[in-house]
Amino acid sequence: MLDSKNILVIEDDSDIRTLISFNLKNEGHQVFEAKDGEAGIDKAREKLPDLILLDLMLPGIQGLDVCRVIKSDQETKETPIIMVTALGQEEDIVKGLETGADDYITKPYTIKVQIARVNAVLKRSNELPQ
């Protein structure tokens, strides 16, 4: 397990948001939550998380636009983002990665896969020169 990190979960489905948060907390991470894109952007700017798990299909501001805003903001542009979504077509994955996501997980997935991908992205981001 990596050192404890601050992770923001932006997910509109409360059951999924709770499950993701629960599993990240069990790994020792501090977790912040947002239920829509606008709240997610605000929380990202306020908390400056080490990682963001971002759903794509959100009410209001969609996940791709949230990613664009976060990646264009001077304070949050280096924050790694993992898109977590039911949109699993090749063009969806390519679009997500081209928008700035560091990884892309399609639902449904297992907790082990989620934790492994979170740890891999956090490890890569820690290896980058600041």
Side-chain angles (χ1 to χ4, degrees):
M1 183 173 69
L2 298 172
D3 294 334
S4 177
K5 298 293 182 183
N6 294 323
I7 300 176
L8 172 59
V9 177
I10 307 172
E11 167 66 60
D12 63 318
D13 184 304
S14 62
D15 291 337
I16 294 172
R17 189 173 61 246
T18 299
L19 181 63
I20 291 171
S21 296
F22 174 81
N23 288 301
L24 292 171
K25 288 175 184 175
N26 275 349
E27 290 293 309
H29 299 297
Q30 174 73 36
V31 180
F32 306 101
E33 299 179 4
K35 64 181 179 178
D36 60 48
E38 187 173 314
I41 292 168
D42 291 343
K43 192 80 71 159
R45 289 175 174 156
E46 174 191 341
K47 300 293 185 182
L48 299 175
D50 299 302
L51 174 71
I52 297 171
L53 285 140
L54 173 63
D55 185 19
L56 289 187
M57 296 183 291
L58 296 168
I61 303 171
Q62 292 290 302
L64 287 174
D65 293 324
V66 171
C67 184
R68 282 186 194 98
V69 169
I70 289 170
K71 291 297 186 175
S72 66
D73 187 299
Q74 191 63 31
E75 291 292 316
T76 57
K77 69 180 183 179
E78 299 298 325
T79 305
I81 295 175
I82 299 176
M83 291 184 174
V84 181
T85 182
L87 300 175
Q89 297 296 317
E90 181 179 24
E91 59 268 12
D92 297 318
I93 297 168
V94 169
K95 189 181 239 182
L97 294 170
E98 286 177 345
T99 302
D102 296 87
D103 201 352
Y104 195 103
I105 304 173
T106 56
K107 298 174 187 173
Y109 58 88
T110 66
I111 300 308
K112 286 183 179 182
V113 167
Q114 173 195 309
I115 297 303
R117 288 183 180 243
V118 164
N119 288 339
V121 170
L122 286 170
K123 183 178 180 197
R124 283 194 306 268
S125 69
N126 286 336
E127 293 172 353
L128 296 175
Q130 298 297 322

